[in-house]
Amino acid sequence: NTWLSFKENRTKSAIMSFQWDDFVFTGDVKILFFHLFALCNNDADNPSPNKIMDCFVHIEMWNGATLVLDTNPAVIKTMGLDTKVMADLLSTVGRCCSLKAMWEVLCNEQDLLEGV
C-alpha cells in the first residue's frame, strides 16, 4: 500500500516491473499482484475493475482502490455509494487521481452538481 502511495509507482511501467518470472508470489501477495497486473493489461481473462476494487476494499488497500478509480473512474457508478459519502469520495479522487479521472467522475455524477 505504501509503495502505491508514490505517484511514480502508480504507472503501468512501474507495476509491470514486477515480472512474474522474477518473483515467487504466494497466497495473498499473488492475488494482490494479479489484480495490479490486471489493471495494466487489457486481457479478456482479467477480472473486471469492479472485482479488483472489491478485492482492494476488502483488504483495505486504499492506494490500490484509488488506482482502480484512476484507471477506471466509471467503476464509481456501479459501487452504489450513498450520496452522503460522495463529498469524501470526490475529495479523495481529487487528491489521489489524475485530473482526467476527476473529470470523468464529475461527468458521470452530474446529479451531484445539480443546483451549483
Side-chain angles (χ1 to χ4, degrees):
N1 200 29
T2 303
W3 185 79
L4 279 175
S5 67
F6 298 100
K7 285 207 183 268
E8 62 270 13
N9 295 336
R10 296 171 65 89
T11 64
K12 179 179 180 175
S13 60
I15 292 169
M16 295 308 288
S17 69
F18 292 102
Q19 293 299 318
W20 287 107
D21 303 335
D22 298 339
F23 300 97
V24 178
F25 298 123
T26 59
D28 292 340
V29 175
K30 184 176 183 177
I31 293 169
L32 169 70
F33 276 98
F34 173 74
H35 285 100
L36 283 173
F37 292 152
L39 286 173
C40 297
N41 294 322
N42 292 327
D43 295 339
D45 296 337
N46 286 341
S48 70
N50 293 4
K51 289 187 184 256
I52 297 171
M53 175 65 90
D54 289 344
C55 174
F56 288 152
V57 168
H58 179 73
I59 63 174
E60 297 182 5
M61 188 173 161
W62 305 121
N63 288 319
T66 59
L67 182 61
V68 174
L69 294 176
D70 202 17
T71 58
N72 299 284
V75 77
I76 292 174
K77 276 300 230 191
T78 64
M79 293 175 66
L81 297 173
D82 190 278
T83 307
K84 295 174 186 171
V85 301
M86 291 305 286
D88 290 329
L89 178 70
L90 290 174
S91 174
T92 300
V93 171
R95 282 183 288 111
C96 301
C97 298
S98 67
L99 185 58
K100 180 183 176 219
M102 183 65 168
W103 178 254
E104 287 187 43
V105 169
L106 291 174
C107 288
N108 289 335
E109 298 290 341
Q110 289 185 7
D111 52 320
L112 293 175
L113 301 174
E114 201 172 289
V116 173

